[in-house]
Amino acid sequence: MGTITSPFKDPSHHSLARKLLPYTIYVILPIAVLRLYLYTPSLPQSTDQLPHSTAITISTTSSSSSSPSSLPPFPSSQEVETGEETPCDYTSGNWVQDKLGPLYNGTTCATIKKGQNCITHGRPDLGYLFWRWKPKQCHIPRFEPNTFLQILRNKHIAFVGDSMARNQLESLLCMLATVSPPNLVYTDGEENKFRRWHFSSHNVSVSVYWSPFLVKGIEKSQDGPNYNKLYLDQVNERWAADMGQMDMIVLSVGHWFLHPAVYFEGDSVLGCHYCPGLNHSEIGFYDVLRKAIKTTLKAIIERRVANANGNGVNVIVTTFSPAHFEGEWDKAGACAKTKPYMEGEKQLEGMDAEMRQLEVEEVEAAKANGKKFAGFRLQALDVTKLSLMRPDGHPGPYMNPFPFADRVQERVQNDCVHWCLPGPIDTWNEIMLEVLNKWNNQGR
Ligand SMILES: *[C@@H]1O[C@H](CO)[C@@H](O)[C@H](O)[C@H]1NC(C)=O
Ligand SMILES: *[C@@H]1O[C@H](CO)[C@@H](O)[C@H](O)[C@H]1NC(C)=O
Ligand SMILES: *[C@@H]1O[C@H](CO)[C@@H](O)[C@H](O)[C@H]1NC(C)=O
């Protein structure tokens, strides 16, 4: 969709400043503005007040050592769900030190995007690699690449969304690559927006689809209008047309909704966000993101589930990933912390809390709508709080190689949005595997 300016695209060339700047304006500004105008006292002030009933639960007894041949297929329409095992709320916990460290590094994994390959770019502190997420009630096992590949045998898992979807996908690829080499079988060549890998050991396909709004969207461009156009009642066919071949879909969006945009529904303009000069009313982006997710999950249920040919589809919605800019984005030390926050040190609030909350609510609503279809499984991958506690996990200035090689600079580009690889985002996939394990165990 043409070249546009945003850090959520490949920042590998020197126009990066131009790309990051709009982000800061439209992210930092809205946060301030929204806190002023939309932040109501009724917002949850701490995770303890968030509805735990809607949080994902994982089984405390799920085991990743089950023998591969006994793993059942994905849900079929005949399947009957068994009772829940003791659930564990993995959203509540702490980061604890772990001397084992990551499964991979920038040398062993070939598919890490440059801007996230922090060690190779000279990030000096490595302490951020030695933490694991410890939920209060249970233990999340280390990621087991073989178990993941066995569960997904003969399946296709697709990541659909913005660059956070890609970040999560690249973490998964690196971890899987430690046991089986991925072959890149498709790329559209355009900034790696659409790619597919095949793990021939298990006939598993892993793909990524660029769709930062999930719904139909026309991204702003240099020669077009300076705002995005979103069609909230239409799913983006660039990924949705392939839905029939997807056995598992991981949806991950959020940050792009902060950009200036005009919103359409049917034939009418619903409103806009940051569109001075246009005669549309400002409607913010919360309800817009809500509608986009609603439209997407509805489309999956209607097209992929209601027409199921005996095979089900598993859907994960990764919740909002908080950024950690402290002060100006191009100031040295914009996200310079080297340790996680400890429990109680940082509250989930404001925009991060709102975005997460509406995503979780839409997942619960769609779950209820899809309930009658046995082949449909849907879960929020509720990573917002645990990610909020990792201000140390971003590339910061190490989005570029050796940013301080010549001298210590006052002004330096910082990425405090994406996650270093390896890094805390690996935990998202560990939890995702736990969800898959739980689904598999229920199918027995
Ligand atoms: C990366 O991992 C490999 C294999 O574990 C190890 O031999 C190598 O020293 C590591 N490289 C770095 C830069 O840590
Ligand atoms: C490999 O996986 C695809 C789905 O990704 C499936 O359609 C195909 O039948 C599988 N091939 C074999 C030999 O099982
Ligand atoms: C702006 O929109 C309002 C309401 O739709 C309309 O009454 C008004 O004429 C419009 N103004 C301009 C300058 O188009």
Side-chain angles (χ1 to χ4, degrees):
M1 298 194 181
T3 54
I4 52 143
T5 56
S6 161
F8 292 94
K9 307 222 6 220
D10 193 351
S12 56
H13 40 85
H14 52 259
S15 63
L16 179 75
R18 228 184 41 239
K19 292 185 167 195
L20 271 175
L21 193 56
Y23 174 79
T24 0
I25 293 171
Y26 300 123
V27 172
I28 306 306
L29 235 173
I31 295 171
V33 170
L34 284 163
R35 282 204 173 140
L36 268 178
Y37 296 110
L38 298 176
Y39 190 73
T40 61
S42 63
L43 276 181
Q45 296 297 317
S46 84
T47 43
D48 294 331
Q49 292 165 257
L50 295 173
H52 280 165
S53 57
T54 59
I56 322 165
T57 54
I58 52 179
S59 156
T60 45
T61 56
S62 68
S63 141
S64 39
S65 55
S66 7
S67 82
S69 53
S70 68
L71 290 172
F74 267 37
S76 68
S77 37
Q78 292 87 41
E79 189 177 279
V80 177
E81 300 243 329
T82 57
E84 294 271 323
E85 292 166 70
T86 317
C88 161
D89 172 14
Y90 67 78
T91 63
S92 166
N94 236 327
W95 289 94
V96 297
Q97 282 191 313
D98 174 29
K99 59 182 188 313
L100 278 178
L103 283 181
Y104 63 95
N105 64 37
T107 315
T108 58
C109 182
T111 47
I112 301 178
K113 194 169 126 53
K114 283 203 180 70
Q116 280 130 38
N117 204 336
C118 302
I119 303 173
T120 308
H121 280 181
R123 178 168 173 173
D125 64 303
L126 298 179
Y128 71 98
L129 297 172
F130 297 90
W131 297 92
R132 76 184 159 76
W133 178 245
K134 175 69 184 77
K136 284 203 185 85
Q137 303 162 333
C138 53
H139 171 74
I140 295 177
R142 215 164 147 73
F143 188 83
E144 293 255 9
N146 278 313
T147 306
F148 189 93
L149 288 169
Q150 282 151 14
I151 293 176
L152 270 286
R153 186 183 288 278
N154 297 325
K155 304 291 181 197
H156 173 199
I157 172 172
F159 288 78
V160 182
D162 59 21
S163 55
M164 294 312 309
R166 182 179 57 202
N167 209 174
Q168 186 182 351
L169 153 99
E170 290 188 351
S171 154
L172 179 67
L173 274 184
C174 286
M175 295 199 286
L176 296 179
T178 60
V179 301
S180 178
N183 303 309
L184 182 66
V185 293
Y186 173 79
T187 172
D188 78 339
E190 192 198 345
E191 294 190 32
N192 293 333
K193 283 178 172 175
F194 303 91
R195 287 179 289 171
R196 186 185 293 213
W197 291 264
H198 185 243
F199 291 84
S200 46
S201 60
H202 297 76
N203 185 31
V204 171
S205 292
V206 180
S207 64
V208 63
Y209 289 79
W210 176 257
S211 185
F213 309 114
L214 298 179
V215 291
K216 182 177 160 189
I218 299 175
E219 294 169 23
K220 66 188 171 208
S221 62
Q222 247 123 44
D223 20 326
N226 192 28
Y227 51 83
N228 300 314
K229 287 182 180 177
L230 269 63
Y231 299 84
L232 298 176
D233 54 344
Q234 298 174 53
V235 73
N236 178 4
E237 290 302 328
R238 187 63 177 80
W239 69 269
D242 288 356
M243 208 191 286
Q245 317 160 11
M246 299 172 183
D247 302 291
M248 175 155 174
I249 307 175
V250 182
L251 305 168
S252 180
V253 294
H255 291 270
W256 272 68
F257 287 81
L258 310 185
H259 291 278
V262 174
Y263 308 118
F264 299 85
E265 195 169 40
D267 292 333
S268 55
V269 175
L270 212 60
C272 76
H273 175 54
Y274 276 99
C275 63
L278 299 179
N279 192 13
H280 304 312
S281 37
E282 168 69 45
I283 59 169
F285 50 78
Y286 291 140
D287 283 344
V288 170
L289 174 59
R290 186 185 285 284
K291 275 179 198 278
I293 293 175
K294 198 185 282 293
T295 297
T296 301
L297 295 176
K298 185 165 168 269
I300 293 175
I301 291 173
E302 281 171 6
R303 293 201 212 169
R304 186 62 184 77
V305 180
N307 295 331
N309 45 8
N311 293 317
V313 65
N314 289 343
V315 181
I316 294 277
V317 176
T318 304
T319 62
F320 192 69
S321 178
H324 288 93
F325 286 103
E326 293 172 29
E328 293 168 84
W329 72 278
D330 62 343
K331 186 123 173 79
C335 49
K337 289 204 163 62
T338 55
K339 280 170 132 175
Y341 289 118
M342 289 296 119
E343 206 184 1
E345 221 184 312
K346 183 87 178 163
Q347 302 303 323
L348 180 55
E349 59 189 3
M351 182 184 69
D352 296 333
E354 287 276 294
M355 299 292 258
R356 172 206 167 267
Q357 181 72 28
L358 72 87
E359 289 166 337
V360 169
E361 283 169 10
E362 285 309 311
V363 164
E364 292 307 312
K367 237 191 231 176
N369 292 339
K371 210 173 179 165
K372 61 175 178 283
F373 304 108
F376 179 55
R377 279 171 175 165
L378 170 65
Q379 194 67 271
L381 185 65
D382 192 352
V383 295
T384 305
K385 180 67 196 293
L386 62 92
S387 303
L388 179 71
M389 292 167 79
R390 293 306 305 268
D392 57 330
H394 300 288
Y398 300 99
M399 61 184 294
N400 291 311
F402 301 96
F404 307 113
D406 297 336
R407 63 191 182 287
V408 177
Q409 305 177 71
E410 247 313 281
R411 295 282 153 189
V412 63
Q413 295 156 350
N414 283 286
D415 180 352
C416 308
V417 179
H418 300 103
W419 302 96
C420 290
L421 294 180
I425 197 168
D426 297 330
T427 298
W428 300 9
N429 288 318
E430 282 178 343
I431 298 171
M432 188 166 82
L433 177 52
E434 284 299 281
V435 173
L436 276 175
N437 263 320
K438 188 198 78 173
W439 280 339
N440 244 3
N441 291 339
Q442 282 175 350
R444 278 159 206 256

